[in-house]
Amino acid sequence: MWRLDLAGIIEGMDRNMSVGFGERLLEELVRAAQLASPAELPVVLNRYAEAMGLGRAVIYLVDIQQRLLVPLVESEPELELDTPLAGWAYRTDSLRVEEGPSGGLHVWLPLADGAERLGVVELNMSTLDGLKLRRCRTTALLLALIITSKRTYSDTIAQRMRTRPMHLPTEMVRAFLPPRSIGTGRVVSTAVLEPAYELGGDTFDHAFTEDVLHSTILDGMGHNLASGLATSVAIESARQSRRDRPSGARGQPRTR
């Protein structure tokens, strides 16, 4: 009986296929970034960006009101969202390139996890060709996924995305919020809450169950801790009801 040695086939393919230098560095970047703290992420990114010929890199995150692009490293200046380069890249989800005063190039790329826009990354290099451009875009895509995974447990990222202190009821409500934007190739759902730092009983939720988009808007009476608690419980109750249904069912949730 013939047996398929899949591991041997893959090993033979690896010997016959050359892996590009930049692709190996991108893999190493992901591995290093997974183990780095959010404060160490800019250092890790710079090390591998320079090794790939992409020059110095600066990460900017959009603040929770989407008015500023705030650098992850505090030594860099904040940028208004209507700036012609960084803001344009963020607003249009597109690449922007400008020649610097010293002759180098400033390349701005959006940081987005699907429909959710996180900010932009600036890369500074002497020249730009097709290979570097692919590496720039791949780096930005990977970086967005890394930031998304780290911001779920990082106070550093949460701090950088705020421009002033937040009230306790707002802190509690925001702890239960989904991403600001979700989407597929067919539909996008986006929501924002204002006043961003003084929420009470106002909240929203949106999620996909297979091919169905669920959206919820709640406006609890009052702007205090009790109203925030009430809407948070309501949102979680709606989520529990959706998630407790058998796969594919669209009727009543199952009972126990």
Side-chain angles (χ1 to χ4, degrees):
M1 179 183 293
W2 292 94
R3 307 180 81 178
L4 181 62
D5 184 5
L6 184 59
I9 293 175
I10 294 175
E11 183 180 355
M13 292 174 62
D14 287 343
R15 285 197 301 266
N16 295 327
M17 295 176 62
S18 61
V19 180
F21 176 69
E23 286 65 30
R24 288 198 299 269
L25 287 176
L26 285 170
E27 180 182 357
E28 292 176 13
L29 167 62
V30 174
R31 292 181 183 274
Q34 287 178 334
L35 300 177
S37 69
E40 296 168 333
L41 184 58
V43 178
V44 171
L45 175 62
N46 263 314
R47 182 166 70 244
Y48 286 96
E50 291 178 359
M52 288 186 288
L54 307 183
R56 178 173 172 270
V58 183
I59 300 170
Y60 292 86
L61 301 175
V62 69
D63 77 305
I64 62 174
Q65 293 181 292
Q66 299 185 87
R67 297 175 181 174
L68 294 172
L69 290 167
V70 184
L72 191 54
V73 177
E74 294 186 14
S75 58
E76 299 291 335
E78 296 178 351
L79 303 175
E80 297 285 343
L81 204 61
D82 59 358
T83 53
L85 296 174
W88 189 92
Y90 176 86
R91 296 192 308 272
T92 63
D93 194 28
S94 303
L95 171 76
R96 186 74 167 174
V97 181
E98 182 191 46
E99 185 175 357
S102 60
L105 296 175
H106 300 285
V107 180
W108 298 87
L109 296 106
L111 296 175
D113 180 14
E116 176 76 338
R117 299 180 186 182
L118 307 174
V120 296
V121 60
E122 178 191 12
L123 297 166
N124 298 276
M125 61 198 75
S126 57
T127 60
L128 181 64
D129 55 25
L131 178 60
K132 284 186 178 181
L133 182 57
R134 285 195 299 273
R135 291 176 179 175
C136 287
R137 287 175 168 157
T138 304
T139 299
L141 290 171
L142 293 173
L143 186 58
L145 296 176
I146 292 167
I147 292 173
T148 297
S149 68
K150 290 187 179 296
R151 70 174 180 170
T152 58
Y153 61 85
S154 168
D155 287 340
T156 301
I157 293 177
Q159 289 171 346
R160 297 303 295 150
M161 296 176 69
R162 299 180 183 185
T163 57
R164 60 189 177 94
M166 186 172 290
H167 293 179
L168 178 58
T170 304
E171 190 78 58
M172 186 183 68
V173 170
R174 286 198 173 275
F176 291 95
L177 286 180
R180 184 171 46 228
S181 299
I182 62 172
T184 67
R186 294 188 299 165
V187 62
V188 173
S189 175
T190 299
V192 294
L193 292 174
E194 290 287 352
Y197 295 89
E198 299 172 3
L199 301 178
D202 305 324
T203 189
F204 70 90
D205 189 31
H206 48 199
F208 287 103
T209 303
E210 296 182 356
D211 62 342
V212 178
L213 171 64
H214 302 271
S215 60
T216 306
I217 299 176
L218 293 177
D219 183 4
M221 183 178 295
H223 286 272
N224 51 35
L225 197 59
S227 59
L229 177 61
T231 53
S232 297
V233 171
I235 283 291
E236 288 307 309
S237 176
R239 289 172 177 167
Q240 188 272 338
S241 177
R242 293 196 309 266
R243 295 167 183 173
D244 205 33
R245 295 176 183 175
S247 177
R250 300 192 184 189
Q252 295 297 320
R254 65 185 173 199
T255 59
R256 289 178 289 194

PDB file of all heavy atoms in Angstrom, residues 113-148:
ATOM      1  N   ASP A 113      -8.032  46.996  10.111  1.00  0.00           N
ATOM      2  CA  ASP A 113      -8.358  45.589  10.301  1.00  0.00           C
ATOM      3  C   ASP A 113      -9.746  45.369   9.725  1.00  0.00           C
ATOM      4  O   ASP A 113     -10.759  45.576  10.389  1.00  0.00           O
ATOM      5  CB  ASP A 113      -8.321  45.234  11.787  1.00  0.00           C
ATOM      6  CG  ASP A 113      -8.661  43.774  12.047  1.00  0.00           C
ATOM      7  OD1 ASP A 113      -8.659  42.988  11.080  1.00  0.00           O
ATOM      8  OD2 ASP A 113      -8.941  43.423  13.203  1.00  0.00           O
ATOM      9  N   GLY A 114      -9.805  45.005   8.456  1.00  0.00           N
ATOM     10  CA  GLY A 114     -11.094  44.916   7.767  1.00  0.00           C
ATOM     11  C   GLY A 114     -11.682  46.299   7.606  1.00  0.00           C
ATOM     12  O   GLY A 114     -11.050  47.209   7.068  1.00  0.00           O
ATOM     13  N   ALA A 115     -12.906  46.504   8.106  1.00  0.00           N
ATOM     14  CA  ALA A 115     -13.560  47.811   8.012  1.00  0.00           C
ATOM     15  C   ALA A 115     -13.120  48.760   9.117  1.00  0.00           C
ATOM     16  O   ALA A 115     -13.387  49.960   9.033  1.00  0.00           O
ATOM     17  CB  ALA A 115     -15.071  47.629   8.060  1.00  0.00           C
ATOM     18  N   GLU A 116     -12.455  48.248  10.147  1.00  0.00           N
ATOM     19  CA  GLU A 116     -12.060  49.065  11.289  1.00  0.00           C
ATOM     20  C   GLU A 116     -10.749  49.792  11.012  1.00  0.00           C
ATOM     21  O   GLU A 116      -9.702  49.172  10.838  1.00  0.00           O
ATOM     22  CB  GLU A 116     -11.922  48.182  12.532  1.00  0.00           C
ATOM     23  CG  GLU A 116     -11.415  48.899  13.773  1.00  0.00           C
ATOM     24  CD  GLU A 116     -12.471  49.762  14.450  1.00  0.00           C
ATOM     25  OE1 GLU A 116     -13.448  50.155  13.782  1.00  0.00           O
ATOM     26  OE2 GLU A 116     -12.317  50.034  15.642  1.00  0.00           O
ATOM     27  N   ARG A 117     -10.809  51.122  10.954  1.00  0.00           N
ATOM     28  CA  ARG A 117      -9.615  51.932  10.721  1.00  0.00           C
ATOM     29  C   ARG A 117      -8.952  52.248  12.056  1.00  0.00           C
ATOM     30  O   ARG A 117      -9.582  52.774  12.971  1.00  0.00           O
ATOM     31  CB  ARG A 117      -9.984  53.218   9.988  1.00  0.00           C
ATOM     32  CG  ARG A 117     -10.610  52.973   8.632  1.00  0.00           C
ATOM     33  CD  ARG A 117     -10.979  54.270   7.926  1.00  0.00           C
ATOM     34  NE  ARG A 117     -11.710  54.007   6.702  1.00  0.00           N
ATOM     35  CZ  ARG A 117     -12.131  54.953   5.870  1.00  0.00           C
ATOM     36  NH1 ARG A 117     -11.899  56.229   6.146  1.00  0.00           N
ATOM     37  NH2 ARG A 117     -12.794  54.632   4.776  1.00  0.00           N
ATOM     38  N   LEU A 118      -7.668  51.941  12.146  1.00  0.00           N
ATOM     39  CA  LEU A 118      -6.923  52.090  13.393  1.00  0.00           C
ATOM     40  C   LEU A 118      -6.020  53.308  13.401  1.00  0.00           C
ATOM     41  O   LEU A 118      -5.765  53.890  14.454  1.00  0.00           O
ATOM     42  CB  LEU A 118      -6.070  50.838  13.640  1.00  0.00           C
ATOM     43  CG  LEU A 118      -6.800  49.498  13.594  1.00  0.00           C
ATOM     44  CD1 LEU A 118      -5.801  48.353  13.700  1.00  0.00           C
ATOM     45  CD2 LEU A 118      -7.835  49.420  14.695  1.00  0.00           C
ATOM     46  N   GLY A 119      -5.505  53.696  12.239  1.00  0.00           N
ATOM     47  CA  GLY A 119      -4.566  54.808  12.165  1.00  0.00           C
ATOM     48  C   GLY A 119      -3.780  54.732  10.872  1.00  0.00           C
ATOM     49  O   GLY A 119      -4.278  54.246   9.846  1.00  0.00           O
ATOM     50  N   VAL A 120      -2.524  55.180  10.926  1.00  0.00           N
ATOM     51  CA  VAL A 120      -1.640  55.135   9.760  1.00  0.00           C
ATOM     52  C   VAL A 120      -0.229  54.793  10.232  1.00  0.00           C
ATOM     53  O   VAL A 120       0.086  54.913  11.418  1.00  0.00           O
ATOM     54  CB  VAL A 120      -1.609  56.488   9.002  1.00  0.00           C
ATOM     55  CG1 VAL A 120      -2.969  56.822   8.412  1.00  0.00           C
ATOM     56  CG2 VAL A 120      -1.119  57.612   9.901  1.00  0.00           C
ATOM     57  N   VAL A 121       0.587  54.370   9.299  1.00  0.00           N
ATOM     58  CA  VAL A 121       2.011  54.177   9.565  1.00  0.00           C
ATOM     59  C   VAL A 121       2.789  54.977   8.540  1.00  0.00           C
ATOM     60  O   VAL A 121       2.451  55.002   7.355  1.00  0.00           O
ATOM     61  CB  VAL A 121       2.397  52.681   9.527  1.00  0.00           C
ATOM     62  CG1 VAL A 121       2.107  52.054   8.169  1.00  0.00           C
ATOM     63  CG2 VAL A 121       3.875  52.509   9.888  1.00  0.00           C
ATOM     64  N   GLU A 122       3.817  55.673   9.012  1.00  0.00           N
ATOM     65  CA  GLU A 122       4.686  56.453   8.134  1.00  0.00           C
ATOM     66  C   GLU A 122       6.011  55.722   7.980  1.00  0.00           C
ATOM     67  O   GLU A 122       6.627  55.310   8.973  1.00  0.00           O
ATOM     68  CB  GLU A 122       4.943  57.840   8.720  1.00  0.00           C
ATOM     69  CG  GLU A 122       5.885  58.685   7.869  1.00  0.00           C
ATOM     70  CD  GLU A 122       6.356  59.946   8.585  1.00  0.00           C
ATOM     71  OE1 GLU A 122       6.130  60.046   9.810  1.00  0.00           O
ATOM     72  OE2 GLU A 122       6.966  60.812   7.922  1.00  0.00           O
ATOM     73  N   LEU A 123       6.439  55.557   6.728  1.00  0.00           N
ATOM     74  CA  LEU A 123       7.731  54.944   6.421  1.00  0.00           C
ATOM     75  C   LEU A 123       8.559  55.950   5.646  1.00  0.00           C
ATOM     76  O   LEU A 123       8.055  56.622   4.745  1.00  0.00           O
ATOM     77  CB  LEU A 123       7.541  53.664   5.604  1.00  0.00           C
ATOM     78  CG  LEU A 123       6.763  52.534   6.303  1.00  0.00           C
ATOM     79  CD1 LEU A 123       6.351  51.463   5.302  1.00  0.00           C
ATOM     80  CD2 LEU A 123       7.597  51.925   7.414  1.00  0.00           C
ATOM     81  N   ASN A 124       9.828  56.068   6.003  1.00  0.00           N
ATOM     82  CA  ASN A 124      10.722  57.038   5.370  1.00  0.00           C
ATOM     83  C   ASN A 124      11.863  56.295   4.700  1.00  0.00           C
ATOM     84  O   ASN A 124      12.611  55.564   5.358  1.00  0.00           O
ATOM     85  CB  ASN A 124      11.271  58.004   6.417  1.00  0.00           C
ATOM     86  CG  ASN A 124      10.183  58.810   7.086  1.00  0.00           C
ATOM     87  OD1 ASN A 124       9.740  59.826   6.584  1.00  0.00           O
ATOM     88  ND2 ASN A 124       9.725  58.347   8.250  1.00  0.00           N
ATOM     89  N   MET A 125      11.999  56.484   3.393  1.00  0.00           N
ATOM     90  CA  MET A 125      13.022  55.753   2.643  1.00  0.00           C
ATOM     91  C   MET A 125      13.573  56.634   1.531  1.00  0.00           C
ATOM     92  O   MET A 125      12.992  57.675   1.188  1.00  0.00           O
ATOM     93  CB  MET A 125      12.437  54.468   2.078  1.00  0.00           C
ATOM     94  CG  MET A 125      11.291  54.670   1.104  1.00  0.00           C
ATOM     95  SD  MET A 125      10.295  53.178   0.846  1.00  0.00           S
ATOM     96  CE  MET A 125       9.373  53.140   2.392  1.00  0.00           C
ATOM     97  N   SER A 126      14.699  56.206   0.978  1.00  0.00           N
ATOM     98  CA  SER A 126      15.339  57.005  -0.069  1.00  0.00           C
ATOM     99  C   SER A 126      14.707  56.782  -1.430  1.00  0.00           C
ATOM    100  O   SER A 126      14.569  57.714  -2.232  1.00  0.00           O
ATOM    101  CB  SER A 126      16.837  56.678  -0.126  1.00  0.00           C
ATOM    102  OG  SER A 126      17.030  55.281  -0.358  1.00  0.00           O
ATOM    103  N   THR A 127      14.306  55.544  -1.718  1.00  0.00           N
ATOM    104  CA  THR A 127      13.697  55.221  -3.011  1.00  0.00           C
ATOM    105  C   THR A 127      12.516  54.275  -2.784  1.00  0.00           C
ATOM    106  O   THR A 127      12.405  53.637  -1.732  1.00  0.00           O
ATOM    107  CB  THR A 127      14.702  54.538  -3.960  1.00  0.00           C
ATOM    108  OG1 THR A 127      15.157  53.310  -3.356  1.00  0.00           O
ATOM    109  CG2 THR A 127      15.887  55.449  -4.237  1.00  0.00           C
ATOM    110  N   LEU A 128      11.647  54.184  -3.806  1.00  0.00           N
ATOM    111  CA  LEU A 128      10.491  53.304  -3.733  1.00  0.00           C
ATOM    112  C   LEU A 128      10.304  52.610  -5.078  1.00  0.00           C
ATOM    113  O   LEU A 128      10.212  53.270  -6.111  1.00  0.00           O
ATOM    114  CB  LEU A 128       9.233  54.113  -3.380  1.00  0.00           C
ATOM    115  CG  LEU A 128       7.927  53.320  -3.241  1.00  0.00           C
ATOM    116  CD1 LEU A 128       8.011  52.346  -2.075  1.00  0.00           C
ATOM    117  CD2 LEU A 128       6.745  54.272  -3.058  1.00  0.00           C
ATOM    118  N   ASP A 129      10.280  51.273  -5.049  1.00  0.00           N
ATOM    119  CA  ASP A 129      10.008  50.503  -6.257  1.00  0.00           C
ATOM    120  C   ASP A 129       8.874  49.522  -5.983  1.00  0.00           C
ATOM    121  O   ASP A 129       8.275  49.519  -4.893  1.00  0.00           O
ATOM    122  CB  ASP A 129      11.275  49.771  -6.744  1.00  0.00           C
ATOM    123  CG  ASP A 129      11.894  48.887  -5.657  1.00  0.00           C
ATOM    124  OD1 ASP A 129      11.162  48.452  -4.744  1.00  0.00           O
ATOM    125  OD2 ASP A 129      13.106  48.630  -5.723  1.00  0.00           O
ATOM    126  N   GLY A 130       8.575  48.681  -6.955  1.00  0.00           N
ATOM    127  CA  GLY A 130       7.460  47.761  -6.802  1.00  0.00           C
ATOM    128  C   GLY A 130       7.639  46.784  -5.648  1.00  0.00           C
ATOM    129  O   GLY A 130       6.693  46.487  -4.915  1.00  0.00           O
ATOM    130  N   LEU A 131       8.853  46.263  -5.466  1.00  0.00           N
ATOM    131  CA  LEU A 131       9.108  45.317  -4.388  1.00  0.00           C
ATOM    132  C   LEU A 131       8.951  45.980  -3.029  1.00  0.00           C
ATOM    133  O   LEU A 131       8.306  45.428  -2.124  1.00  0.00           O
ATOM    134  CB  LEU A 131      10.522  44.744  -4.528  1.00  0.00           C
ATOM    135  CG  LEU A 131      10.955  43.760  -3.440  1.00  0.00           C
ATOM    136  CD1 LEU A 131      10.024  42.554  -3.407  1.00  0.00           C
ATOM    137  CD2 LEU A 131      12.406  43.329  -3.665  1.00  0.00           C
ATOM    138  N   LYS A 132       9.509  47.171  -2.863  1.00  0.00           N
ATOM    139  CA  LYS A 132       9.368  47.883  -1.593  1.00  0.00           C
ATOM    140  C   LYS A 132       7.905  48.238  -1.310  1.00  0.00           C
ATOM    141  O   LYS A 132       7.456  48.191  -0.169  1.00  0.00           O
ATOM    142  CB  LYS A 132      10.225  49.153  -1.609  1.00  0.00           C
ATOM    143  CG  LYS A 132      11.713  48.909  -1.425  1.00  0.00           C
ATOM    144  CD  LYS A 132      12.454  50.234  -1.314  1.00  0.00           C
ATOM    145  CE  LYS A 132      13.935  50.010  -1.093  1.00  0.00           C
ATOM    146  NZ  LYS A 132      14.667  51.299  -0.963  1.00  0.00           N
ATOM    147  N   LEU A 133       7.185  48.596  -2.366  1.00  0.00           N
ATOM    148  CA  LEU A 133       5.782  48.952  -2.185  1.00  0.00           C
ATOM    149  C   LEU A 133       4.976  47.756  -1.678  1.00  0.00           C
ATOM    150  O   LEU A 133       4.141  47.894  -0.780  1.00  0.00           O
ATOM    151  CB  LEU A 133       5.203  49.464  -3.502  1.00  0.00           C
ATOM    152  CG  LEU A 133       3.741  49.920  -3.468  1.00  0.00           C
ATOM    153  CD1 LEU A 133       3.540  51.020  -2.433  1.00  0.00           C
ATOM    154  CD2 LEU A 133       3.302  50.393  -4.847  1.00  0.00           C
ATOM    155  N   ARG A 134       5.232  46.561  -2.221  1.00  0.00           N
ATOM    156  CA  ARG A 134       4.554  45.360  -1.734  1.00  0.00           C
ATOM    157  C   ARG A 134       4.900  45.096  -0.283  1.00  0.00           C
ATOM    158  O   ARG A 134       4.036  44.729   0.518  1.00  0.00           O
ATOM    159  CB  ARG A 134       4.925  44.156  -2.604  1.00  0.00           C
ATOM    160  CG  ARG A 134       4.247  44.142  -3.962  1.00  0.00           C
ATOM    161  CD  ARG A 134       4.353  42.778  -4.616  1.00  0.00           C
ATOM    162  NE  ARG A 134       5.743  42.387  -4.847  1.00  0.00           N
ATOM    163  CZ  ARG A 134       6.442  42.695  -5.926  1.00  0.00           C
ATOM    164  NH1 ARG A 134       5.882  43.423  -6.889  1.00  0.00           N
ATOM    165  NH2 ARG A 134       7.680  42.283  -6.066  1.00  0.00           N
ATOM    166  N   ARG A 135       6.165  45.293   0.064  1.00  0.00           N
ATOM    167  CA  ARG A 135       6.579  45.075   1.449  1.00  0.00           C
ATOM    168  C   ARG A 135       5.954  46.117   2.375  1.00  0.00           C
ATOM    169  O   ARG A 135       5.585  45.793   3.515  1.00  0.00           O
ATOM    170  CB  ARG A 135       8.102  45.118   1.556  1.00  0.00           C
ATOM    171  CG  ARG A 135       8.788  43.928   0.893  1.00  0.00           C
ATOM    172  CD  ARG A 135      10.295  44.047   0.926  1.00  0.00           C
ATOM    173  NE  ARG A 135      10.938  42.891   0.297  1.00  0.00           N
ATOM    174  CZ  ARG A 135      12.247  42.785   0.096  1.00  0.00           C
ATOM    175  NH1 ARG A 135      13.053  43.776   0.463  1.00  0.00           N
ATOM    176  NH2 ARG A 135      12.755  41.708  -0.463  1.00  0.00           N
ATOM    177  N   CYS A 136       5.831  47.340   1.899  1.00  0.00           N
ATOM    178  CA  CYS A 136       5.171  48.386   2.697  1.00  0.00           C
ATOM    179  C   CYS A 136       3.729  47.992   3.005  1.00  0.00           C
ATOM    180  O   CYS A 136       3.269  48.083   4.151  1.00  0.00           O
ATOM    181  CB  CYS A 136       5.190  49.715   1.947  1.00  0.00           C
ATOM    182  SG  CYS A 136       6.784  50.544   1.873  1.00  0.00           S
ATOM    183  N   ARG A 137       3.000  47.580   1.985  1.00  0.00           N
ATOM    184  CA  ARG A 137       1.595  47.228   2.163  1.00  0.00           C
ATOM    185  C   ARG A 137       1.428  45.996   3.047  1.00  0.00           C
ATOM    186  O   ARG A 137       0.534  45.949   3.898  1.00  0.00           O
ATOM    187  CB  ARG A 137       0.949  47.013   0.795  1.00  0.00           C
ATOM    188  CG  ARG A 137       0.719  48.320   0.038  1.00  0.00           C
ATOM    189  CD  ARG A 137       0.186  48.085  -1.348  1.00  0.00           C
ATOM    190  NE  ARG A 137      -0.287  49.332  -1.947  1.00  0.00           N
ATOM    191  CZ  ARG A 137      -0.403  49.537  -3.246  1.00  0.00           C
ATOM    192  NH1 ARG A 137      -0.079  48.567  -4.097  1.00  0.00           N
ATOM    193  NH2 ARG A 137      -0.837  50.686  -3.720  1.00  0.00           N
ATOM    194  N   THR A 138       2.295  45.002   2.850  1.00  0.00           N
ATOM    195  CA  THR A 138       2.217  43.805   3.685  1.00  0.00           C
ATOM    196  C   THR A 138       2.540  44.134   5.134  1.00  0.00           C
ATOM    197  O   THR A 138       1.878  43.643   6.061  1.00  0.00           O
ATOM    198  CB  THR A 138       3.178  42.723   3.166  1.00  0.00           C
ATOM    199  OG1 THR A 138       2.879  42.437   1.794  1.00  0.00           O
ATOM    200  CG2 THR A 138       3.051  41.454   3.983  1.00  0.00           C
ATOM    201  N   THR A 139       3.531  44.980   5.345  1.00  0.00           N
ATOM    202  CA  THR A 139       3.886  45.391   6.704  1.00  0.00           C
ATOM    203  C   THR A 139       2.720  46.103   7.375  1.00  0.00           C
ATOM    204  O   THR A 139       2.409  45.852   8.545  1.00  0.00           O
ATOM    205  CB  THR A 139       5.118  46.310   6.683  1.00  0.00           C
ATOM    206  OG1 THR A 139       6.235  45.592   6.126  1.00  0.00           O
ATOM    207  CG2 THR A 139       5.489  46.778   8.089  1.00  0.00           C
ATOM    208  N   ALA A 140       2.047  46.999   6.652  1.00  0.00           N
ATOM    209  CA  ALA A 140       0.910  47.723   7.215  1.00  0.00           C
ATOM    210  C   ALA A 140      -0.243  46.777   7.556  1.00  0.00           C
ATOM    211  O   ALA A 140      -0.889  46.909   8.598  1.00  0.00           O
ATOM    212  CB  ALA A 140       0.433  48.799   6.237  1.00  0.00           C
ATOM    213  N   LEU A 141      -0.511  45.794   6.701  1.00  0.00           N
ATOM    214  CA  LEU A 141      -1.572  44.826   6.966  1.00  0.00           C
ATOM    215  C   LEU A 141      -1.267  43.999   8.216  1.00  0.00           C
ATOM    216  O   LEU A 141      -2.128  43.795   9.080  1.00  0.00           O
ATOM    217  CB  LEU A 141      -1.758  43.905   5.760  1.00  0.00           C
ATOM    218  CG  LEU A 141      -2.362  44.534   4.507  1.00  0.00           C
ATOM    219  CD1 LEU A 141      -2.280  43.566   3.328  1.00  0.00           C
ATOM    220  CD2 LEU A 141      -3.809  44.931   4.753  1.00  0.00           C
ATOM    221  N   LEU A 142      -0.032  43.515   8.320  1.00  0.00           N
ATOM    222  CA  LEU A 142       0.360  42.730   9.489  1.00  0.00           C
ATOM    223  C   LEU A 142       0.338  43.573  10.749  1.00  0.00           C
ATOM    224  O   LEU A 142      -0.095  43.114  11.819  1.00  0.00           O
ATOM    225  CB  LEU A 142       1.750  42.129   9.267  1.00  0.00           C
ATOM    226  CG  LEU A 142       1.871  41.077   8.171  1.00  0.00           C
ATOM    227  CD1 LEU A 142       3.331  40.695   7.957  1.00  0.00           C
ATOM    228  CD2 LEU A 142       1.053  39.840   8.518  1.00  0.00           C
ATOM    229  N   LEU A 143       0.791  44.806  10.632  1.00  0.00           N
ATOM    230  CA  LEU A 143       0.831  45.693  11.790  1.00  0.00           C
ATOM    231  C   LEU A 143      -0.567  45.963  12.332  1.00  0.00           C
ATOM    232  O   LEU A 143      -0.774  46.007  13.551  1.00  0.00           O
ATOM    233  CB  LEU A 143       1.527  47.000  11.408  1.00  0.00           C
ATOM    234  CG  LEU A 143       1.789  48.013  12.520  1.00  0.00           C
ATOM    235  CD1 LEU A 143       2.627  47.403  13.622  1.00  0.00           C
ATOM    236  CD2 LEU A 143       2.483  49.244  11.942  1.00  0.00           C
ATOM    237  N   ALA A 144      -1.536  46.137  11.443  1.00  0.00           N
ATOM    238  CA  ALA A 144      -2.910  46.370  11.879  1.00  0.00           C
ATOM    239  C   ALA A 144      -3.450  45.177  12.665  1.00  0.00           C
ATOM    240  O   ALA A 144      -4.115  45.345  13.695  1.00  0.00           O
ATOM    241  CB  ALA A 144      -3.801  46.651  10.671  1.00  0.00           C
ATOM    242  N   LEU A 145      -3.157  43.960  12.202  1.00  0.00           N
ATOM    243  CA  LEU A 145      -3.605  42.771  12.922  1.00  0.00           C
ATOM    244  C   LEU A 145      -2.939  42.666  14.290  1.00  0.00           C
ATOM    245  O   LEU A 145      -3.563  42.275  15.281  1.00  0.00           O
ATOM    246  CB  LEU A 145      -3.310  41.523  12.089  1.00  0.00           C
ATOM    247  CG  LEU A 145      -4.052  41.402  10.753  1.00  0.00           C
ATOM    248  CD1 LEU A 145      -3.576  40.171   9.999  1.00  0.00           C
ATOM    249  CD2 LEU A 145      -5.552  41.329  10.981  1.00  0.00           C
ATOM    250  N   ILE A 146      -1.665  43.018  14.348  1.00  0.00           N
ATOM    251  CA  ILE A 146      -0.927  42.960  15.614  1.00  0.00           C
ATOM    252  C   ILE A 146      -1.492  43.969  16.608  1.00  0.00           C
ATOM    253  O   ILE A 146      -1.694  43.663  17.787  1.00  0.00           O
ATOM    254  CB  ILE A 146       0.570  43.206  15.356  1.00  0.00           C
ATOM    255  CG1 ILE A 146       1.170  42.039  14.564  1.00  0.00           C
ATOM    256  CG2 ILE A 146       1.324  43.397  16.675  1.00  0.00           C
ATOM    257  CD1 ILE A 146       2.543  42.325  13.996  1.00  0.00           C
ATOM    258  N   ILE A 147      -1.767  45.185  16.148  1.00  0.00           N
ATOM    259  CA  ILE A 147      -2.324  46.220  17.034  1.00  0.00           C
ATOM    260  C   ILE A 147      -3.695  45.798  17.530  1.00  0.00           C
ATOM    261  O   ILE A 147      -4.034  45.976  18.706  1.00  0.00           O
ATOM    262  CB  ILE A 147      -2.379  47.570  16.306  1.00  0.00           C
ATOM    263  CG1 ILE A 147      -0.965  48.097  16.050  1.00  0.00           C
ATOM    264  CG2 ILE A 147      -3.184  48.589  17.110  1.00  0.00           C
ATOM    265  CD1 ILE A 147      -0.912  49.335  15.182  1.00  0.00           C
ATOM    266  N   THR A 148      -4.519  45.232  16.639  1.00  0.00           N
ATOM    267  CA  THR A 148      -5.847  44.781  17.039  1.00  0.00           C
ATOM    268  C   THR A 148      -5.765  43.739  18.151  1.00  0.00           C
ATOM    269  O   THR A 148      -6.531  43.778  19.121  1.00  0.00           O
ATOM    270  CB  THR A 148      -6.598  44.198  15.831  1.00  0.00           C
ATOM    271  OG1 THR A 148      -6.790  45.226  14.859  1.00  0.00           O
ATOM    272  CG2 THR A 148      -7.966  43.654  16.236  1.00  0.00           C
TER     273      THR A 148
END
